Amino acid sequence: MSINILAIESSCDDTSCAVISDGILKSNVIASQKVHEAYGGVVPELASRAHQQNIVPVVSEALRQAGVDKSDLAAIAYTRGPGLLGSLLVGTSFAKGMAIGLDIPLIDVNHLHAHALSQFIKEDASDEVPAFPFLCLLVSGGNSQIVLVKSPEEMQILGQTIDDAAGEAFDKCAKVMGLPYPGGPHIDRLAAQGDPERFKFSKPHIQGLDYSFSGLKTSFLYTVRDGLKENPAFIEENLPDLCASLQKTIVDILLNKLKKAIRQTGVKDVTIGGGVSANSGVRDAVAKLCEKENVKAWIPKRVFTTDNAAMVATAGYFKYLKKEFCPLDLPPFARVTL
Ligand code: KG4
């Protein structure tokens, strides 16, 4: 009989459930929460309530699409953290209830591990996967890290942001321009029609492989403020150029350290993960850099870059094969590193 694993992801504002059979993805259902748009950012209490409303239909739909009955599940995997505690509690409690009800093992998954392993999501048995050790540029709304992935369990952070994450830089600058939340995808779309050399924003000078994005955010804010003093229509008249120049600066900052990490480690494979890895500029630049450095770039499908349960199921499957199950009284963790 197949090993069917159901996975639940509820760390932030996406309720997602996936089913994998013998390591092959059978379904991946995601309910994104629109309620936060009006507030310009995720409201934790509203996120928890939306997870509660979404979780039953999302889990039912994932099982239906996979054609798997719950009585045929071998284990339940779930995101333990990091994330919003209230949101994590909904997924954690649901996963525990289901594991108890079905009398099957429970598998806790670190959300960051899942992002770093997202290149192992297989939609077909013939899908290729990277070789360990590899580098993962993990860039999302809450993280900007360069991770050396030595095995499914062993990961080392080589560099990380000392202040804002890359996604925060996108979202906060988008807010300055009056774009809706989350701003990253809007900037990506508008940047395609703009001139990336038009505006210059400051870049950080940080030692080693660490990142910083707060200076860029301030520099962007000052450019817009000064532009508006001269011309009240500054934003509307320059929107694509502002977006293209901002995106180019963020990409340059990310890639500069990734290049150093490739040279320092001598790895042969590089992956990207997290919401910001959906960005066209990031994807193109990583592919070009890897070609130049003679290493293989693994660019994931966009659906697997943002929060999704397919990556949780995949990370959970690695643990299932090693019989690494967790006790039912394991609490969720809002803050946990790799
Ligand atoms: O991994 P993720 O879904 O969850 C969090 O960490 O919250 O990442 C969300 C982040 C947001 O900051 C969003 O603006 C950014 O990913 N993002 C993008 C794009 N798509 C999502 N940033 C730039 N370009 C995109 N196409």
Side-chain angles (χ1 to χ4, degrees):
M1 199 176 115
S2 299
I3 300 170
N4 299 313
I5 296 178
L6 180 139
I8 293 172
E9 155 65 35
S10 72
S11 62
C12 189
D13 59 341
D14 293 301
T15 319
S16 182
C17 179
V19 175
I20 56 170
S21 298
D22 296 328
I24 311 295
L25 187 66
K26 295 294 171 191
S27 64
N28 181 43
V29 177
I30 305 170
S32 297
Q33 304 176 359
K34 297 276 168 239
V35 64
H36 309 287
E37 275 172 19
Y39 300 92
V42 177
V43 183
E45 180 59 25
L46 295 180
S48 317
R49 286 167 193 252
H51 282 305
Q52 281 184 317
Q53 284 176 346
N54 292 341
I55 198 148
V56 172
V58 166
V59 168
S60 304
E61 183 58 14
L63 284 166
R64 193 193 65 76
Q65 284 183 17
V68 170
D69 191 86
K70 55 184 185 307
S71 60
D72 293 328
L73 291 173
I76 309 283
Y78 73 99
T79 301
R80 183 186 179 195
L84 301 171
L85 197 56
S87 293
L88 289 165
L89 269 169
V90 178
T92 301
S93 310
F94 196 92
K96 287 179 179 177
M98 220 169 156
I100 294 169
L102 297 169
D103 195 22
I104 54 177
L106 188 64
I107 303 170
D108 63 306
V109 172
N110 179 320
H111 181 78
L112 299 174
H113 273 224
H115 268 308
L117 296 172
S118 59
Q119 203 60 55
F120 289 83
I121 298 170
K122 282 188 166 194
E123 293 178 277
D124 189 273
S126 63
D127 287 352
E128 287 184 41
V129 293
F132 295 105
F134 61 87
L135 280 181
C136 176
L137 176 67
L138 211 171
V139 274
S140 68
N143 295 278
S144 296
Q145 301 175 329
I146 298 179
V147 183
L148 180 62
V149 186
K150 298 177 183 171
S151 74
E153 305 83 34
E154 208 189 338
M155 306 194 187
Q156 184 187 350
I157 298 173
L158 302 182
Q160 60 187 327
T161 183
I162 58 167
D163 41 55
D164 287 351
E168 271 177 288
F170 271 112
D171 295 340
K172 287 178 179 170
C173 293
K175 200 169 182 181
V176 170
M177 293 183 282
L179 296 172
Y181 177 86
H186 296 282
I187 291 179
D188 193 355
R189 181 175 45 79
L190 289 157
Q193 302 133 39
D195 175 3
E197 305 297 338
R198 172 82 192 287
F199 297 100
K200 297 280 173 242
F201 304 116
S202 72
K203 289 183 190 165
H205 300 281
I206 308 276
Q207 292 291 309
L209 297 175
D210 283 340
Y211 287 119
S212 165
F213 289 98
S214 69
L216 163 64
K217 188 184 64 189
T218 311
S219 151
F220 184 83
L221 187 68
Y222 287 171
T223 302
V224 172
R225 187 197 59 186
D226 296 347
L228 284 173
K229 267 191 212 153
E230 301 278 316
N231 172 12
F234 176 76
I235 296 178
E236 296 143 54
E237 288 175 11
N238 296 287
L239 196 55
D241 290 348
L242 281 167
C243 290
S245 304
L246 172 67
Q247 182 167 298
K248 180 178 184 299
T249 313
I250 294 176
V251 169
D252 285 352
I253 296 171
L254 290 173
L255 274 276
N256 172 24
K257 296 294 170 86
L258 183 62
K259 182 160 118 188
K260 278 191 187 163
I262 292 172
R263 292 186 179 177
Q264 276 179 24
T265 55
V267 294
K268 291 281 159 240
D269 295 76
V270 172
T271 71
I272 53 176
V276 177
S277 69
N279 183 267
S280 317
V282 171
R283 297 163 79 88
D284 291 349
V286 169
K288 279 193 194 123
L289 171 72
C290 288
E291 203 182 330
K292 253 184 159 172
E293 298 294 314
N294 206 16
V295 297
K296 183 163 167 128
W298 298 80
I299 310 292
K301 277 190 173 177
R302 281 193 163 82
V303 65
F304 299 138
T305 59
T306 46
D307 291 345
N308 67 86
M311 65 182 192
V312 179
T314 302
Y317 184 59
F318 277 117
K319 287 186 119 180
Y320 182 90
L321 294 177
K322 294 195 147 190
K323 300 276 172 268
E324 284 177 22
F325 306 133
C326 70
L328 286 165
D329 60 356
L330 195 70
F333 266 146
R335 288 181 185 277
V336 61
T337 185
L338 274 164

